[in-house]
Amino acid sequence: MSALLNRTAAGRLAPGLRPAVDPAALRTRVVHFGLGAFHRAHQAVYTERAAALSGEPWGITAVAPRSAQTARALRDQDCLYSVTERRPDGHRTRVVGSVVDALAMGPDAKAVDALLADPEVTVVTLTVTEKGYHRSPSTGGLDSAAPPVAADLAAASSGPLGTVVGRLAAGLAARMRAGAPPISVVSCDNMADNGGALRRVVHDFVRASAWPDRARVLDLMASSVAFPATVVDRIVPATAESDRAAAQAALGVRDALCVAAEPYRQWVLEDSFAAPRPPWERDGALFVPDVTPYQLTKLRLLNGSHSALAYLGTAAGLTTIAEAMAADWGERLVRALCAEVAPTLPAGHPDPARYAEDLVVRFRNPAMRHLLRQIGTDGSVKITERWLPALRTLRARGTSTPVLELAVAAWVLSTRPADGTLPDPAAEALAGCWKTGEPAARPAETVRAVLRVLGAADLAADDALVAAVADRLPALRAGRVEI
């Protein structure tokens, strides 16, 4: 077996393959929750470049919320890993060195808490996906009745905490009690107003806790903890065996945590930090007073198109985004969805037609192999953000919504209890909507029930919408995508 990537091996690489910084010169000044591929290909890259260009020692300690194995694997490589950009003209690989330590949230809870209270740590970032926030579909606040949250609230004073929200709330509370300097907590997950959403669930956790000083903690957090909103963008497919082989061929050593990504990346951040931060703008990040126009454009056009391609492509028997784009309906779907949703975007957003053209180029990249199944996972959480707000707005205006109706129908079909059903936190409730397993007899009732599971009782009561979605099911069941 080949030698494993580590600092010694990295020192022998060609200059163009080595980290942009000396990892030994960095210190933990950023804590990141979420050890997934996206963070390693996005925020960690920006942070490394910011440290290299500024000469400031901005290092990251990454915290794995669930997988102690991932944290161990990263430590085994001295926290080094490679990013391969999949380009049509050939792949480009480089080792990233901004992560200086990796912890598992449960086993390393004391170390995590110590970092959250450390005055040198002034930024916390998160990529824990939408479901990691445990939000109530009806209120948008913390779902304190959810079993993981309820367990954390019961254990908040003495026991282990299993949710990122609970761990973060407890750590910030300890920081406030210790009188440590202000800190910024930065959501990098795909949600509208992700900063506000994170602030609310963290504050809700403190408010619902049994801590006797919770009111004082909340007062201190109001002035000392900022939750800037952000927009993150880079397509990072699940790592395949071919990616590992490509990384090993480029590096000459084995990288168990390599990631692959498209060349494009973007980061837009609300300029409302409470404490020092890496100068990410040195690597092209954009700081703006209000990220909402960028956020909604990305959520509704890019993420919305991605989800639509995932469910329609799955119905058509396809496997990847590139295959869906190669179908005779792929490009038309992206352009039509962007055009349909564009009127719901606020002033100041990027031009939707140009944005759609950029999406077509990015999605068609032949070097990418982004699995539809990966994108379609957790649909009940994702489409609530990506499709439903625009659908509500358009229907309230009396505007027709044929593309969104088609997309919803494809997602409804994907919830059928069957082999290969996509993972979803609401899978059991969704399966219950298919009482006979097939919609042939009462498709409208199935559509209505599925919408109610989403917390969309208003859309379930829209008879015209329900009928339009139900009418799309037969063609999709036959594998036909009709735009």
Side-chain angles (χ1 to χ4, degrees), residues 154-161 167:
S157 297
S158 57
L161 300 175
R167 181 82 274 152

Side-chain angles (χ1 to χ4, degrees), residues 1-6 35 37 40 69-82 95 239-241 243-245 247-248 251 253-260:
M1 183 177 291
S2 300
L4 196 63
L5 175 65
N6 56 28
L35 255 179
R40 301 202 302 275
Q69 181 179 357
T70 303
R72 282 195 302 271
L74 195 54
R75 288 196 300 268
D76 287 345
Q77 298 189 175
D78 294 333
C79 295
L80 297 177
Y81 64 91
S82 64
V95 175
T239 303
E241 195 55 45
D243 297 316
R244 295 184 184 92
Q248 181 164 336
L251 301 173
V253 293
R254 184 165 50 89
D255 180 3
L257 288 164
C258 63
V259 292

Side-chain angles (χ1 to χ4, degrees), residues 43-119:
Q43 298 93 34
V45 173
Y46 276 97
T47 301
E48 182 191 52
R49 294 286 297 161
L53 293 168
S54 67
E56 300 171 5
W58 288 101
I60 302 168
T61 287
V63 180
R66 291 174 300 276
S67 176
Q69 181 179 357
T70 303
R72 282 195 302 271
L74 195 54
R75 288 196 300 268
D76 287 345
Q77 298 189 175
D78 294 333
C79 295
L80 297 177
Y81 64 91
S82 64
V83 176
T84 296
E85 291 186 355
R86 295 181 183 174
R87 296 173 173 268
D89 59 350
H91 297 345
R92 298 182 189 176
T93 300
R94 190 176 63 79
V95 175
V96 175
S98 54
V99 179
V100 297
D101 199 3
L103 303 173
M105 192 174 76
D108 300 319
K110 289 184 179 179
V112 174
D113 284 349
L115 285 173
L116 291 176
D118 186 342

